[in-house]
Amino acid sequence: MRARKGRDEAEAPGSTLHRAPRPGHGAADRGPMTPARAGSLQGSAGNDVVGRMVAAAPKVPFAARTKRTQDEVVERGDSPPTNQQKTEEGKATRSTRSGKAGATPSVKGKEKAVEEEIGNPTLAFNSGYEGDRTQSLNGAASIGFAQTATLTRAPGMSTATADAYDFWQEVTDENYQITPDSTNYRPKKSKRNWVVDGPFRPPYNDEGGNIANTADHITFNDHPGFSGGMRMTAGYFLTSYEVRFRWKVRKKQGGRFTKGEPFWESDEMVHRVTVEFDSEDPEKAAVVNATPAGNRTWNVQLPD
């Protein structure tokens, strides 16, 4: 927005300027003769009248216009744009995409914090079977696994693990079940492709006691399978189940979490269950053959 001239200059806050009275209204001979008043009278009353008035007017020094602060500027509107900033030299420059002005940084080098080198963490996985040893069609059964995946920051680091790394868990599974509407006890297949597994990702919100987040490490506590509130109920029979897990780690990236590259990826860990169903004696209890994925430790090699 361009600065307004004439009338606005005569009424600027902090100035001794006054609006020039119109000729013939009894005020022409009173008050100080300022440049703004003189210019107005020249156009309406003529140079001779102005000359006489200047000679008779009291000698009042012209007050310089005071500098306004940003809060005092009126009718600013959108000019200048909000994405402009003042540099230390007082010159407006347009912001870059990162939000920093394209001028000399205002933060002195000595005052800028030195970022710690982020080293390679360690990932440890432990698992085991938890659940019933037998299953029957006419009864409920708990069939599942317990596992932990713990990411520990590199030795000697002071940066918290959650602030240093993006760490997340992915899962895929497949199972066959006999359901109440199965024909001749024929199992039905269900399969899920690889997905990011529930809450096991940044920002590591511990909604159900599933995540332990400390300065030194982050632990994912998981119970995959058909246990707890997801146990097999009467009328259903699990004949086979396979669930696979993998973990990904990278140096912390700002903004909203995404599963994009670059990242380090672990080997796949697999839990398996098989149960022999006897269609000749469907009420017979069958042995649950469970094979947990076991235990594993990786020395994570973060990509550049």
Side-chain angles (χ1 to χ4, degrees):
M1 179 182 295
R2 295 181 178 177
R4 296 178 298 171
K5 298 185 180 297
R7 177 178 176 179
D8 284 358
E9 288 182 349
E11 299 175 353
S15 173
T16 59
L17 296 178
H18 298 277
R19 180 181 301 173
R22 288 178 293 172
H25 282 69
D29 295 327
R30 295 193 300 272
M33 180 60 63
T34 65
R37 184 182 175 200
S40 177
L41 289 173
Q42 283 175 340
S44 59
N47 292 334
D48 292 340
V49 174
V50 173
R52 291 193 299 270
M53 292 179 66
V54 169
K59 306 303 181 180
V60 178
F62 178 72
R65 187 173 183 176
T66 59
K67 183 178 181 180
R68 300 180 185 180
T69 65
Q70 183 174 357
D71 292 337
E72 292 173 335
V73 176
V74 295
E75 298 182 2
R76 179 180 178 183
D78 294 328
S79 179
T82 56
N83 63 341
Q84 285 189 1
Q85 303 177 21
K86 286 284 186 178
T87 67
E88 291 182 340
E89 292 78 14
K91 298 179 180 180
T93 58
R94 195 164 302 275
S95 299
T96 63
R97 291 178 64 88
S98 65
K100 298 179 180 178
T104 304
S106 60
V107 179
K108 296 181 180 180
K110 293 183 180 179
E111 298 175 355
K112 188 175 181 180
V114 177
E115 294 184 1
E116 181 179 46
E117 180 68 24
I118 302 302
N120 289 318
T122 301
L123 176 60
F125 173 75
N126 296 278
S127 67
Y129 176 73
E130 62 176 7
D132 299 331
R133 297 296 174 178
T134 62
Q135 179 188 195
S136 62
L137 184 62
N138 63 351
S142 177
I143 302 174
F145 300 87
Q147 67 182 45
T148 61
T150 301
L151 184 74
T152 303
R153 66 185 177 185
M157 281 180 51
S158 60
T159 303
T161 307
D163 295 331
Y165 310 103
D166 282 334
F167 172 43
W168 68 99
Q169 176 174 296
E170 296 181 348
V171 62
T172 180
D173 57 20
E174 177 180 304
N175 71 80
Y176 287 83
Q177 292 185 33
I178 296 171
T179 67
D181 60 352
S182 294
T183 302
N184 298 324
Y185 302 108
R186 184 178 303 165
K188 294 183 178 180
K189 179 182 179 180
S190 177
K191 185 176 182 179
R192 179 174 53 163
N193 294 325
W194 284 104
V195 294
V196 176
D197 190 18
F200 303 115
R201 60 176 180 83
Y204 318 114
N205 294 324
D206 185 15
E207 298 177 355
N210 296 319
I211 300 176
N213 185 357
T214 70
D216 181 66
H217 67 271
I218 298 171
T219 297
F220 295 158
N221 298 295
D222 198 4
H223 299 269
F226 302 86
S227 58
M230 299 294 293
R231 63 190 296 147
M232 301 297 298
T233 57
Y236 294 81
F237 191 97
L238 182 69
T239 61
S240 71
Y241 174 53
E242 180 179 282
V243 57
R244 297 172 178 267
F245 290 90
R246 66 190 180 197
W247 295 267
K248 294 181 178 180
V249 185
R250 67 184 173 202
K251 291 183 180 179
K252 190 73 176 180
Q253 296 184 357
R256 185 178 178 181
F257 166 73
T258 65
K259 59 181 181 179
E261 296 184 4
F263 52 74
W264 171 90
E265 181 177 322
S266 73
D267 302 323
E268 295 178 13
M269 303 303 290
V270 187
H271 303 302
R272 293 186 176 91
V273 169
T274 58
V275 188
E276 293 292 335
F277 180 78
D278 188 353
S279 59
E280 299 296 327
D281 188 3
E283 301 300 325
K284 179 181 178 180
V287 175
V288 176
N289 299 297
T291 305
N295 306 319
R296 185 76 180 273
T297 299
W298 296 273
N299 293 318
V300 177
Q301 298 298 314
L302 296 174
D304 295 331

